Coordinates of all heavy atoms in Angstrom, one line a residue:
M40 N 4.4 18.1 15.3 CA 5.0 17.4 14.1 C 4.1 16.4 13.5 O 3.9 16.3 12.3 CB 6.4 16.8 14.5 CG 7.1 16.2 13.4 SD 7.8 17.5 12.3 CE 8.9 16.5 11.3
I41 N 3.6 15.5 14.4 CA 2.7 14.5 13.9 C 1.4 15.1 13.3 O 0.9 14.6 12.3 CB 2.4 13.5 15.0 CG1 3.6 12.7 15.3 CG2 1.2 12.6 14.7 CD1 3.5 11.7 16.5
W42 N 0.9 16.2 14.0 CA -0.3 16.8 13.6 C -0.2 17.3 12.2 O -1.1 17.3 11.4 CB -0.8 17.8 14.5 CG -1.3 17.2 15.8 CD1 -0.6 17.3 17.0 CD2 -2.5 16.5 16.0 NE1 -1.3 16.6 18.0 CE2 -2.5 16.1 17.4 CE3 -3.5 16.1 15.2 CZ2 -3.5 15.3 17.9 CZ3 -4.5 15.3 15.7 CH2 -4.5 15.0 17.1
G43 N 1.0 17.9 11.9 CA 1.2 18.4 10.5 C 1.2 17.3 9.5 O 0.6 17.5 8.4
G44 N 1.8 16.2 9.8 CA 1.8 15.1 8.9 C 0.4 14.5 8.7 O 0.0 14.2 7.5
L45 N -0.4 14.5 9.7 CA -1.8 14.0 9.6 C -2.6 14.9 8.8 O -3.4 14.5 8.0 CB -2.3 13.7 11.0 CG -1.7 12.6 11.8 CD1 -2.3 12.6 13.2 CD2 -1.9 11.3 11.1
L46 N -2.4 16.2 9.0 CA -3.2 17.2 8.2 C -2.8 17.1 6.8 O -3.6 17.3 5.9 CB -3.0 18.6 8.8 CG -3.7 18.9 10.1 CD1 -3.3 20.3 10.6 CD2 -5.2 18.8 10.0
G47 N -1.5 16.9 6.5 CA -1.0 16.8 5.1 C -1.6 15.6 4.4 O -2.1 15.6 3.3
V48 N -1.7 14.4 5.2 CA -2.3 13.2 4.6 C -3.8 13.5 4.3 O -4.3 13.1 3.3 CB -2.1 12.0 5.6 CG1 -3.0 10.8 5.1 CG2 -0.7 11.6 5.6
A49 N -4.5 14.1 5.3 CA -5.9 14.4 5.1 C -6.1 15.4 3.9 O -7.1 15.2 3.1 CB -6.5 15.0 6.4
A50 N -5.2 16.3 3.8 CA -5.4 17.3 2.6 C -5.2 16.6 1.3 O -5.9 16.8 0.3 CB -4.4 18.4 2.8
V51 N -4.2 15.7 1.2 CA -3.9 15.0 0.0 C -5.1 14.1 -0.3 O -5.5 14.0 -1.5 CB -2.6 14.2 0.1 CG1 -2.4 13.3 -1.1 CG2 -1.4 15.2 0.1
L52 N -5.6 13.4 0.7 CA -6.8 12.5 0.4 C -8.0 13.3 0.0 O -8.7 12.9 -1.0 CB -7.1 11.7 1.7 CG -6.2 10.6 2.0 CD1 -6.5 10.1 3.4 CD2 -6.3 9.5 1.0
A53 N -8.2 14.5 0.6 CA -9.4 15.3 0.2 C -9.2 15.8 -1.2 O -10.2 15.7 -2.0 CB -9.5 16.5 1.2
L54 N -8.0 16.2 -1.6 CA -7.8 16.7 -3.0 C -8.0 15.6 -4.0 O -8.5 15.7 -5.1 CB -6.4 17.3 -3.1 CG -6.2 18.7 -2.4 CD1 -4.8 19.1 -2.5 CD2 -7.1 19.7 -3.0
M55 N -7.5 14.4 -3.6 CA -7.6 13.2 -4.5 C -9.0 12.9 -4.7 O -9.5 12.6 -5.8 CB -6.8 12.1 -3.9 CG -6.6 10.9 -4.8 SD -5.5 9.7 -4.1 CE -6.6 8.9 -3.0
I56 N -9.8 12.8 -3.6 CA -11.2 12.4 -3.7 C -12.0 13.5 -4.5 O -12.8 13.2 -5.4 CB -11.8 12.2 -2.3 CG1 -11.2 10.9 -1.8 CG2 -13.3 12.1 -2.4 CD1 -11.5 10.7 -0.3
L57 N -11.7 14.8 -4.2 CA -12.4 15.8 -5.0 C -12.1 15.8 -6.5 O -13.0 16.0 -7.3 CB -12.0 17.2 -4.4 CG -12.6 17.6 -3.0 CD1 -12.1 18.9 -2.5 CD2 -14.2 17.7 -3.2
H58 N -10.9 15.5 -6.8 CA -10.5 15.4 -8.2 C -11.2 14.3 -8.9 O -11.6 14.4 -10.0 CB -8.9 15.3 -8.3 CG -8.5 15.1 -9.7 ND1 -8.3 13.9 -10.3 CD2 -8.1 16.0 -10.6 CE1 -7.9 14.1 -11.5 NE2 -7.8 15.4 -11.8
D59 N -11.2 13.1 -8.2 CA -11.8 12.0 -8.9 C -13.4 12.0 -8.8 O -14.0 11.2 -9.5 CB -11.3 10.7 -8.2 CG -9.8 10.5 -8.5 OD1 -9.4 11.0 -9.5 OD2 -9.2 9.8 -7.8
W60 N -13.9 12.8 -8.0 CA -15.4 12.8 -7.8 C -16.1 13.2 -9.0 O -17.2 12.7 -9.3 CB -15.8 13.8 -6.6 CG -17.1 13.6 -6.1 CD1 -18.2 14.3 -6.4 CD2 -17.6 12.5 -5.3 NE1 -19.3 13.8 -5.8 CE2 -19.0 12.7 -5.1 CE3 -17.0 11.4 -4.7 CZ2 -19.7 11.8 -4.3 CZ3 -17.7 10.6 -3.9 CH2 -19.1 10.8 -3.7
R61 N -15.5 14.0 -9.9 CA -16.2 14.4 -11.1 C -16.5 13.2 -12.0 O -17.5 13.2 -12.7 CB -15.3 15.4 -11.9 CG -15.1 16.7 -11.2 CD -14.3 17.6 -12.0 NE -13.7 18.6 -11.1 CZ -12.5 19.1 -11.2 NH1 -11.7 18.8 -12.2 NH2 -12.1 20.0 -10.3
A62 N -15.6 12.2 -12.0 CA -15.8 11.1 -12.9 C -16.6 10.0 -12.3 O -17.0 9.0 -12.9 CB -14.4 10.5 -13.3
M63 N -16.9 10.1 -11.0 CA -17.5 9.0 -10.2 C -18.9 8.7 -10.8 O -19.3 7.5 -10.7 CB -17.7 9.4 -8.7 CG -16.4 9.3 -8.0 SD -16.0 7.5 -7.7 CE -14.6 7.7 -6.7
P64 N -19.7 9.6 -11.2 CA -21.1 9.2 -11.7 C -21.0 8.1 -12.8 O -21.9 7.3 -12.9 CB -21.7 10.5 -12.2 CG -21.0 11.5 -11.5 CD -19.6 11.0 -11.3
S65 N -20.0 8.1 -13.6 CA -19.9 7.1 -14.7 C -19.3 5.8 -14.2 O -19.3 4.8 -15.0 CB -19.1 7.7 -15.9 OG -17.7 7.9 -15.4
Y66 N -18.8 5.7 -13.0 CA -18.3 4.5 -12.5 C -19.4 3.5 -12.1 O -20.5 4.0 -11.7 CB -17.4 4.7 -11.3 CG -16.1 5.4 -11.6 CD1 -15.7 5.8 -12.8 CD2 -15.2 5.6 -10.5 CE1 -14.5 6.4 -13.0 CE2 -14.0 6.3 -10.7 CZ -13.6 6.7 -12.0 OH -12.4 7.3 -12.2
T67 N -19.1 2.2 -12.1 CA -20.0 1.3 -11.6 C -19.9 1.2 -10.1 O -18.9 1.7 -9.5 CB -19.8 -0.1 -12.2 OG1 -18.5 -0.6 -11.8 CG2 -19.8 -0.1 -13.7
K68 N -20.8 0.5 -9.5 CA -20.8 0.4 -8.0 C -19.5 -0.4 -7.6 O -18.9 -0.1 -6.6 CB -22.0 -0.3 -7.5 CG -22.1 -0.4 -6.0 CD -23.4 -1.0 -5.6 CE -23.5 -1.0 -4.0 NZ -24.7 -1.5 -3.5
R69 N -19.2 -1.4 -8.4 CA -18.0 -2.2 -8.1 C -16.7 -1.3 -8.2 O -15.8 -1.5 -7.3 CB -17.9 -3.3 -9.1 CG -16.9 -4.3 -8.8 CD -17.0 -5.5 -9.8 NE -16.1 -6.5 -9.5 CZ -16.0 -7.6 -10.2 NH1 -16.8 -7.9 -11.2 NH2 -15.1 -8.5 -9.8
E70 N -16.6 -0.5 -9.2 CA -15.4 0.4 -9.3 C -15.4 1.4 -8.1 O -14.3 1.7 -7.6 CB -15.5 1.1 -10.6 CG -15.2 0.2 -11.8 CD -15.5 0.9 -13.1 OE1 -16.4 1.8 -13.2 OE2 -14.8 0.6 -14.1
K71 N -16.5 1.9 -7.7 CA -16.6 2.9 -6.6 C -16.1 2.2 -5.3 O -15.4 2.8 -4.5 CB -18.0 3.5 -6.5 CG -18.4 4.4 -7.5 CD -19.8 4.9 -7.3 CE -20.3 5.7 -8.5 NZ -21.7 6.2 -8.3
T72 N -16.6 1.0 -5.1 CA -16.2 0.2 -3.9 C -14.7 0.0 -3.9 O -14.0 0.1 -2.9 CB -17.0 -1.1 -3.9 OG1 -18.4 -0.8 -3.9 CG2 -16.6 -1.9 -2.6
A73 N -14.2 -0.5 -5.1 CA -12.7 -0.7 -5.2 C -11.9 0.6 -4.9 O -10.9 0.5 -4.2 CB -12.4 -1.3 -6.5
Y74 N -12.4 1.7 -5.4 CA -11.7 2.9 -5.2 C -11.7 3.3 -3.7 O -10.7 3.7 -3.2 CB -12.4 4.0 -6.0 CG -11.8 5.4 -5.8 CD1 -10.7 5.8 -6.5 CD2 -12.4 6.3 -5.0 CE1 -10.1 7.0 -6.3 CE2 -11.9 7.6 -4.8 CZ -10.7 7.9 -5.5 OH -10.2 9.2 -5.3
G75 N -12.9 3.1 -3.1 CA -13.0 3.5 -1.7 C -12.1 2.6 -0.8 O -11.5 3.1 0.1
V76 N -12.1 1.3 -1.1 CA -11.3 0.4 -0.3 C -9.8 0.7 -0.5 O -9.1 0.7 0.5 CB -11.6 -1.1 -0.7 CG1 -10.6 -2.1 -0.1 CG2 -13.0 -1.5 -0.2
L77 N -9.4 0.8 -1.7 CA -7.9 1.1 -1.9 C -7.5 2.5 -1.3 O -6.4 2.6 -0.8 CB -7.6 1.0 -3.4 CG -7.7 -0.4 -4.0 CD1 -7.5 -0.3 -5.5 CD2 -6.7 -1.3 -3.4
T78 N -8.4 3.4 -1.5 CA -8.1 4.7 -0.9 C -8.0 4.7 0.6 O -7.1 5.2 1.3 CB -9.1 5.8 -1.3 OG1 -9.1 5.8 -2.8 CG2 -8.8 7.2 -0.8
G79 N -9.0 3.9 1.2 CA -9.0 3.8 2.7 C -7.7 3.0 3.2 O -7.1 3.4 4.2
L80 N -7.3 2.0 2.5 CA -6.1 1.2 2.9 C -4.9 2.1 2.7 O -4.0 2.1 3.6 CB -6.0 0.0 2.1 CG -7.0 -1.1 2.3 CD1 -6.8 -2.3 1.4 CD2 -6.8 -1.6 3.8
G81 N -4.8 2.9 1.7 CA -3.7 3.8 1.5 C -3.7 4.9 2.6 O -2.6 5.2 3.1
A82 N -4.8 5.4 3.0 CA -4.9 6.4 4.0 C -4.5 5.8 5.4 O -3.7 6.4 6.1 CB -6.3 6.9 4.2
I83 N -4.9 4.6 5.7 CA -4.5 3.9 6.9 C -3.0 3.7 6.9 O -2.3 4.0 7.9 CB -5.2 2.6 7.1 CG1 -6.7 2.8 7.4 CG2 -4.6 1.7 8.2 CD1 -7.6 1.6 7.3
L84 N -2.4 3.2 5.8 CA -1.0 3.0 5.8 C -0.2 4.4 5.9 O 0.8 4.5 6.6 CB -0.6 2.4 4.5 CG 0.9 2.1 4.3 CD1 1.4 1.1 5.4 CD2 1.1 1.4 2.9
A85 N -0.7 5.4 5.3 CA 0.0 6.7 5.4 C -0.1 7.3 6.8 O 0.9 7.8 7.3 CB -0.7 7.7 4.4
I86 N -1.2 7.1 7.4 CA -1.4 7.6 8.8 C -0.5 6.8 9.8 O 0.2 7.4 10.6 CB -2.8 7.5 9.3 CG1 -3.7 8.6 8.5 CG2 -3.0 7.7 10.8 CD1 -5.2 8.4 8.7
L87 N -0.4 5.5 9.6 CA 0.5 4.7 10.4 C 2.0 5.1 10.2 O 2.7 5.1 11.2 CB 0.3 3.2 10.1 CG -1.0 2.6 10.6 CD1 -1.2 1.2 10.2 CD2 -1.1 2.7 12.2
L88 N 2.3 5.4 9.0 CA 3.7 5.8 8.7 C 4.0 7.2 9.3 O 5.2 7.4 9.6 CB 4.0 5.7 7.2 CG 4.2 4.3 6.6 CD1 4.2 4.3 5.1 CD2 5.4 3.6 7.2
V89 N 3.0 8.0 9.3 CA 3.2 9.3 10.0 C 3.4 9.2 11.5 O 4.3 9.8 12.1 CB 2.1 10.3 9.7 CG1 2.1 11.5 10.5 CG2 2.1 10.7 8.2
I90 N 2.6 8.3 12.1 CA 2.7 8.1 13.5 C 4.0 7.4 13.9 O 4.6 7.7 14.9 CB 1.4 7.4 14.0 CG1 0.2 8.3 13.8 CG2 1.6 6.9 15.5 CD1 -1.1 7.6 14.1
N91 N 4.3 6.3 13.1 CA 5.5 5.5 13.4 C 6.3 5.4 12.2 O 6.2 4.4 11.4 CB 5.0 4.1 13.9 CG 6.2 3.3 14.4 OD1 7.3 3.7 14.4 ND2 5.9 2.0 14.6
P92 N 7.2 6.3 11.9 CA 8.0 6.3 10.7 C 9.0 5.1 10.6 O 9.4 4.7 9.5 CB 8.8 7.6 10.7 CG 8.4 8.4 11.9 CD 7.5 7.5 12.7
Q93 N 9.3 4.4 11.7 CA 10.2 3.3 11.7 C 9.5 2.0 11.3 O 10.1 0.9 11.2 CB 10.9 3.1 13.0 CG 11.7 4.4 13.4 CD 12.8 4.7 12.4 OE1 13.4 3.8 11.8 NE2 12.9 6.0 12.1
M94 N 8.2 2.1 11.1 CA 7.4 0.9 10.8 C 7.8 0.3 9.4 O 8.0 1.1 8.5 CB 5.9 1.2 10.8 CG 5.0 0.0 10.5 SD 3.3 0.5 10.6 CE 3.1 1.1 8.9
P95 N 8.0 -1.0 9.3 CA 8.4 -1.5 8.0 C 7.3 -1.3 7.0 O 6.1 -1.4 7.3 CB 8.6 -3.0 8.3 CG 7.9 -3.3 9.5 CD 7.8 -2.0 10.3
G96 N 7.7 -1.0 5.8 CA 6.7 -0.7 4.7 C 6.4 -2.0 3.9 O 6.9 -3.1 4.3
P97 N 5.6 -1.9 2.9 CA 5.2 -3.1 2.1 C 6.3 -3.9 1.5 O 6.3 -5.1 1.4 CB 4.2 -2.5 1.1 CG 3.8 -1.2 1.6 CD 4.9 -0.7 2.5
T98 N 7.4 -3.2 1.1 CA 8.5 -3.9 0.5 C 9.2 -4.7 1.5 O 9.7 -5.8 1.2 CB 9.5 -2.9 -0.1 OG1 9.9 -1.9 0.8 CG2 8.9 -2.2 -1.3
Q99 N 9.3 -4.3 2.8 CA 9.9 -5.1 3.8 C 9.0 -6.3 4.1 O 9.5 -7.4 4.4 CB 10.2 -4.3 5.1 CG 11.4 -3.4 5.0 CD 11.0 -2.0 4.5 OE1 9.8 -1.7 4.3 NE2 12.0 -1.2 4.2
W100 N 7.7 -6.1 4.0 CA 6.8 -7.3 4.3 C 7.0 -8.3 3.2 O 7.0 -9.5 3.5 CB 5.4 -6.8 4.2 CG 5.0 -5.9 5.3 CD1 5.7 -5.6 6.5 CD2 3.8 -5.1 5.4 NE1 5.0 -4.7 7.2 CE2 3.9 -4.3 6.6 CE3 2.8 -4.9 4.5 CZ2 2.9 -3.4 6.9 CZ3 1.8 -4.0 4.9 CH2 1.8 -3.3 6.1
M101 N 7.2 -7.9 1.9 CA 7.5 -8.9 0.8 C 8.8 -9.6 1.1 O 8.9 -10.8 0.8 CB 7.5 -8.1 -0.5 CG 6.1 -7.6 -1.0 SD 5.0 -9.0 -1.2 CE 3.6 -8.5 -0.3
D102 N 9.8 -8.9 1.6 CA 11.1 -9.5 1.9 C 10.9 -10.6 2.9 O 11.4 -11.7 2.7 CB 12.1 -8.5 2.4 CG 12.6 -7.6 1.3 OD1 12.4 -7.9 0.1 OD2 13.1 -6.5 1.7
V103 N 10.1 -10.4 3.9 CA 9.9 -11.4 4.9 C 9.1 -12.6 4.4 O 9.4 -13.7 4.7 CB 9.1 -10.8 6.1 CG1 8.7 -11.8 7.1 CG2 10.0 -9.8 6.9
I104 N 8.1 -12.3 3.6 CA 7.3 -13.4 3.0 C 8.1 -14.3 2.0 O 8.0 -15.5 2.1 CB 6.0 -12.8 2.3 CG1 5.1 -12.2 3.4 CG2 5.3 -13.8 1.5 CD1 4.0 -11.3 2.8
Y105 N 8.9 -13.6 1.2 CA 9.5 -14.4 0.1 C 11.0 -14.8 0.4 O 11.6 -15.5 -0.3 CB 9.6 -13.6 -1.2 CG 8.2 -13.5 -1.8 CD1 7.5 -12.3 -1.9 CD2 7.6 -14.6 -2.4 CE1 6.3 -12.2 -2.5 CE2 6.3 -14.6 -2.9 CZ 5.7 -13.4 -3.0 OH 4.4 -13.3 -3.5
K106 N 11.5 -14.5 1.6 CA 12.8 -14.8 2.0 C 13.1 -16.4 2.0 O 14.1 -16.8 1.4 CB 13.2 -14.2 3.3 CG 14.6 -14.5 3.8 CD 15.6 -13.7 2.9 CE 16.9 -13.8 3.5 NZ 17.9 -13.1 2.7
P107 N 12.1 -17.2 2.5 CA 12.3 -18.6 2.5 C 12.4 -19.2 1.1 O 13.2 -20.0 0.7 CB 11.1 -19.2 3.2 CG 10.7 -18.1 4.1 CD 11.0 -16.8 3.4
L108 N 11.6 -18.6 0.2 CA 11.6 -19.1 -1.2 C 12.9 -18.7 -1.9 O 13.4 -19.5 -2.6 CB 10.4 -18.5 -2.0 CG 10.3 -18.8 -3.5 CD1 10.1 -20.3 -3.6 CD2 9.2 -18.0 -4.1
V109 N 13.4 -17.5 -1.6 CA 14.6 -17.1 -2.2 C 15.8 -18.0 -1.8 O 16.6 -18.4 -2.5 CB 14.9 -15.6 -1.9 CG1 16.3 -15.2 -2.3 CG2 13.9 -14.7 -2.6
N110 N 15.8 -18.3 -0.5 CA 16.8 -19.2 0.1 C 16.8 -20.6 -0.6 O 17.8 -21.2 -0.9 CB 16.7 -19.3 1.6 CG 17.1 -18.0 2.3 OD1 17.8 -17.2 1.8 ND2 16.6 -17.9 3.5
L111 N 15.6 -21.1 -0.7 CA 15.4 -22.4 -1.4 C 15.9 -22.4 -2.8 O 16.6 -23.3 -3.2 CB 13.9 -22.8 -1.3 CG 13.6 -24.1 -2.0 CD1 14.2 -25.3 -1.3 CD2 12.1 -24.3 -2.1
L112 N 15.5 -21.4 -3.6 CA 16.0 -21.3 -5.0 C 17.5 -21.1 -5.1 O 18.1 -21.6 -6.0 CB 15.3 -20.1 -5.7 CG 13.8 -20.3 -5.9 CD1 13.1 -19.1 -6.5 CD2 13.5 -21.5 -6.8
E113 N 18.1 -20.4 -4.1 CA 19.6 -20.2 -4.1 C 20.2 -21.5 -3.9 O 21.2 -21.9 -4.5 CB 20.0 -19.2 -3.1 CG 19.7 -17.8 -3.5 CD 20.1 -16.7 -2.5 OE1 20.4 -17.1 -1.3 OE2 20.0 -15.5 -2.8
K114 N 19.7 -22.3 -2.9 CA 20.3 -23.6 -2.6 C 20.2 -24.6 -3.8 O 21.1 -25.3 -4.2 CB 19.6 -24.3 -1.4 CG 19.9 -23.7 -0.1 CD 19.2 -24.4 1.0 CE 19.5 -23.7 2.3 NZ 18.7 -24.3 3.4
L115 N 19.0 -24.6 -4.5 CA 18.8 -25.4 -5.7 C 19.8 -25.0 -6.8 O 20.3 -25.8 -7.5 CB 17.4 -25.3 -6.1 CG 16.4 -26.0 -5.2 CD1 14.9 -25.8 -5.8 CD2 16.6 -27.5 -5.2
T116 N 20.0 -23.7 -7.0 CA 20.9 -23.2 -8.0 C 22.3 -23.6 -7.8 O 23.0 -24.0 -8.7 CB 20.8 -21.6 -8.1 OG1 19.4 -21.3 -8.3 CG2 21.6 -21.1 -9.2
V117 N 22.7 -23.5 -6.5 CA 24.1 -23.9 -6.1 C 24.3 -25.4 -6.4 O 25.3 -25.8 -6.9 CB 24.4 -23.5 -4.7 CG1 25.7 -24.1 -4.2 CG2 24.5 -22.0 -4.5
Q118 N 23.3 -26.2 -6.0 CA 23.4 -27.6 -6.2 C 23.5 -28.0 -7.7 O 24.2 -28.9 -8.1 CB 22.2 -28.4 -5.5 CG 22.2 -28.4 -4.0 CD 21.0 -29.0 -3.4 OE1 20.0 -29.3 -4.2 NE2 20.9 -29.1 -2.1
R119 N 22.7 -27.3 -8.5 CA 22.7 -27.7 -9.9 C 23.9 -27.2 -10.7 O 24.3 -27.8 -11.7 CB 21.4 -27.1 -10.6 CG 20.2 -27.7 -10.1 CD 19.0 -27.2 -10.9 NE 18.5 -28.4 -11.6 CZ 17.9 -28.4 -12.7 NH1 17.7 -27.3 -13.4 NH2 17.5 -29.5 -13.3
S120 N 24.5 -26.1 -10.2 CA 25.7 -25.6 -10.9 C 27.0 -26.3 -10.5 O 28.0 -26.1 -11.1 CB 25.8 -24.1 -10.6 OG 26.1 -23.8 -9.3
G121 N 26.9 -27.0 -9.5 CA 28.1 -27.8 -9.2 C 28.7 -27.7 -7.9 O 29.6 -28.0 -7.4

C-alpha cells in the first residue's frame, strides 16, 4: 500500500518536472532554484503524508501557531464589547 503511494508521488513529480522542463531554459537561475526547492519540499511533505497519513498537515500547524493570537484577540473583543 505504501509502495503504491510512493510510486504515485514519484510519478506525479516526474510528470510535473517533465512538463515544466520545456520552459526551464528561459528561467533565471534564481527561478530554477526556487522551483527546485519548492518542488523538493512538496515532495518531502507528500512522502511523509503517504508514510504517516495521521500526521498533521500545514493547516493544523497554522492553527497551533496562531491559536494564542486568536485567544488574545477574542479576549480583547469581549472586553471592548462589554
Side-chain angles (χ1 to χ4, degrees):
M40 182 75 169
I41 290 178
W42 290 108
L45 293 176
L46 287 174
V48 169
V51 169
L52 284 170
L54 289 173
M55 190 173 77
I56 291 170
L57 286 173
H58 177 267
D59 291 338
W60 196 257
R61 295 181 201 144
M63 284 286 183
S65 64
Y66 289 1
T67 65
K68 185 175 181 179
R69 187 175 184 179
E70 290 171 328
K71 290 178 185 178
T72 303
Y74 178 81
V76 167
L77 291 174
T78 303
L80 289 174
I83 290 169
L84 181 59
I86 290 169
L87 287 174
L88 286 172
V89 166
I90 293 171
N91 183 9
Q93 301 303 320
M94 184 178 80
T98 54
Q99 284 91 7
W100 297 344
M101 290 296 129
D102 288 342
V103 170
I104 291 170
Y105 288 111
K106 185 70 172 175
L108 178 63
V109 169
N110 290 339
L111 176 68
L112 291 175
E113 286 177 351
K114 286 179 185 178
L115 290 173
T116 304
V117 169
Q118 288 175 354
R119 294 190 112 206
S120 64

